[in-house]
Structure formats: structure tokens, C-alpha cells
């Protein structure tokens, strides 16, 4: 019933609160209880189950249990890709989370592939210039920078800056942030004149 799904949501929210206090054992127990309740009430493949799996993955990351985190994200992704009513941005969010996890592990090739997929899905879903799209572009640029693929890193940052300029104009703080990130990539590439510009 609806009351029971609200209860599962409350358990999940409480889990997030405990995770914020670094009380991971309590957080994990509540998250798993919420996940099992949602599966029981809504079925294994319901979109709400994928949301619980995403928060479980996030919790495992905080606990430095990367293998468990990846498994939770993969399970969430499977549900989201199979669910025709799910917005493409939800799958993109999952690919982004997996990309960040791989980046943290210094697995830059896998990280880049996942963030590229997230970007592709965001664009397919009509997400032309949102904050998440720009954030993904900057994340991908950072992964390329770590691989010392400066040309691709610069290209990502330049495109992000152009999108910000088109959407907000050159006086806006978001455009300034995008230009700063482009400057930092130029600096990393030892193109100091362009960085200073």
C-alpha cells in the first residue's frame, strides 16, 4: 500500500541522515530494509527500487566498499535501462556515479567511457545546457586531464564555456566558472598564455 511505500521512503531518508553522521552500520541496515520493502511492495524492477539502489551505492562508496557500490549502481542501471517510462537523465545519473567511482579508483578509461555515455543520454533526453550536462562535461575534462589527453580536456571545457555563454551571457558567474576551468586545463597543458587569457 501507499503507506508502506512512504514508510520505505522514510527508512531510506533516515539512512541518508545516519550516513551524514558517519553512522554507517545504522545507515546500511535502514537502507537494506527500505530496499527489501520496496522490492516486496513494488516488484524487483520498479523505478523506486533503482532509487534505493543508487543511495545504497552512494552509501557503500562512503564506507569505501567500492565493489559493493559498483554492484548497486549496475543493478540500478539495469532497472533504469529496462524501464521505458524512466527519464534518460536517470540512467545518465547512474553512469555518472559509476564514472566518478572509476575515477576515484584511477581507472580513467572506464571512467571516461561511463561519463561519455552519461553525456550522450543527457543530450538524447533533450538536456542541452543544464547544470548536470555542464558538470558532466567538466568531469570528463578532468578525467582526460588525468590521462594527460589535454586536447580532449580543452575541447570539453571550451564547449561547456560556450554553452554557458549562450545561456547566461559573459557577465554571469556560471560563465566565469566555466572559463576558470578552461584556464586551469590550459595551465595543466602548459599553455600558459591561453590560461592567463
Amino acid at each position: 500500500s501507499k503507506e508502506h511505500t512512504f514508510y520505505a521512503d522514510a527508512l531510506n531518508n533516515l539512512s541518508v541522515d545516519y550516513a551524514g553522521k558517519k553512522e554507517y552500520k545504522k545507515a546500511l541496515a535502514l537502507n537494506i530494509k527500505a530496499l527489501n520493502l520496496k522490492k516486496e511492495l513494488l516488484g524487483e524492477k520498479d523505478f523506486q527500487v533503482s532509487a534505493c539502489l543508487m543511495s545504497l551505492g552512494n552509501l557503500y562508496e562512503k564506507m569505501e566498499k567500492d565493489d559493493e557500490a559498483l554492484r548497486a549502481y549496475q543493478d540500478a542501471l539495469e532497472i533504469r535501462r529496462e524501464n521505458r517510462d524512466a527519464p534518460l537523465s536517470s540512467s545518465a545519473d547512474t553512469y555518472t556515479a559509476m564514472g566518478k567511482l572509476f575515477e576515484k579508483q584511477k581507472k580513467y578509461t572506464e571512467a571516461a567511457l561511463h561519463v561519455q555515455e552519461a553525456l550522450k543520454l543527457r543530450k538524447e533526453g533533450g538536456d542541452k545546457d543544464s547544470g548536470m550536462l555542464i558538470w558532466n562535461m567538466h568531469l570528463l575534462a578532468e578525467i582526460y586531464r588525468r590521462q594527460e589527453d589535454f586536447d580532449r580536456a580543452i575541447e570539453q571545457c571550451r564547449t561547456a564555456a560556450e554553452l554557458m555563454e549562450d545561456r547566461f551571457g559573459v557577465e554571469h558567474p556560471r560563465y566565469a566558472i566555466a572559463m576558470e576551468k578552461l584556464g586551469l586545463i590550459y595551465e595543466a597543458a602548459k599553455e600558459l598564455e591561453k590560461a592567463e587569457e
Side-chain angles (χ1 to χ4, degrees):
S1 78
K2 227 174 199 175
E3 289 79 25
H4 289 107
T5 55
F6 288 145
Y7 176 61
D9 288 336
L11 291 174
N12 204 47
N13 292 338
L14 201 52
S15 166
V16 172
D17 290 344
Y18 276 118
K21 297 178 190 174
K22 295 184 171 38
E23 292 185 43
Y24 297 129
K25 243 183 181 169
K26 286 180 183 174
L28 185 61
L30 287 164
N31 191 297
I32 289 170
K33 191 172 178 181
L35 176 64
N36 290 334
L37 190 55
K38 288 245 170 152
K39 283 180 178 178
E40 190 184 310
L41 293 166
L42 305 167
E44 298 269 331
K45 299 293 181 185
D46 190 86
F47 185 76
Q48 286 190 43
V49 171
S50 76
C52 268
L53 285 163
M54 287 298 293
S55 62
L56 180 62
N58 191 271
L59 177 57
Y60 276 134
E61 271 197 75
K62 287 178 180 165
M63 297 170 76
E64 295 181 4
K65 294 185 173 194
D66 290 353
D67 291 345
E68 288 90 334
L70 184 60
R71 206 167 306 120
Y73 292 145
Q74 286 168 335
D75 290 346
L77 183 63
E78 189 182 319
I79 293 168
R80 289 174 171 196
R81 293 304 307 240
E82 287 175 12
N83 190 327
R84 288 171 190 243
D85 298 328
L88 288 177
S89 60
S90 67
S91 291
D93 290 344
T94 311
Y95 275 113
T96 301
M98 292 163 81
K100 280 177 58 193
L101 179 61
F102 284 127
E103 185 204 14
K104 187 179 86 177
Q105 296 173 329
K106 297 183 170 55
K107 295 178 180 175
Y108 299 125
T109 303
E110 291 99 322
L113 287 170
H114 282 78
V115 179
Q116 285 164 353
E117 186 62 26
L119 277 168
K120 191 180 103 183
L121 289 171
R122 289 191 198 288
K123 288 172 186 169
E124 278 175 26
D127 189 351
K128 296 285 184 265
D129 59 2
S130 78
M132 278 306 290
L133 181 83
I134 301 300
W135 188 82
N136 271 182
M137 292 172 94
H138 285 145
L139 175 60
L140 188 56
E142 177 57 22
I143 292 164
Y144 288 148
R145 185 193 69 75
R146 288 172 184 265
Q147 291 176 303
E148 297 189 357
D149 188 346
F150 296 116
D151 289 344
R152 289 169 88 184
I154 288 165
E155 183 191 341
Q156 284 298 316
C157 282
R158 195 182 289 128
T159 305
E162 286 166 4
L163 287 170
M164 289 292 92
E165 183 180 3
D166 288 348
R167 183 165 181 201
F168 296 109
V170 294
E171 300 295 318
H172 199 278
R174 287 192 184 180
Y175 174 70
I177 290 165
M179 289 303 289
E180 181 187 20
K181 288 188 185 295
L182 179 58
L184 290 168
I185 295 289
Y186 274 129
E187 186 182 357
K190 307 270 191 287
E191 294 189 41
L192 300 182
E193 276 183 31
K194 286 183 178 174
E196 193 177 336
E197 202 181 299

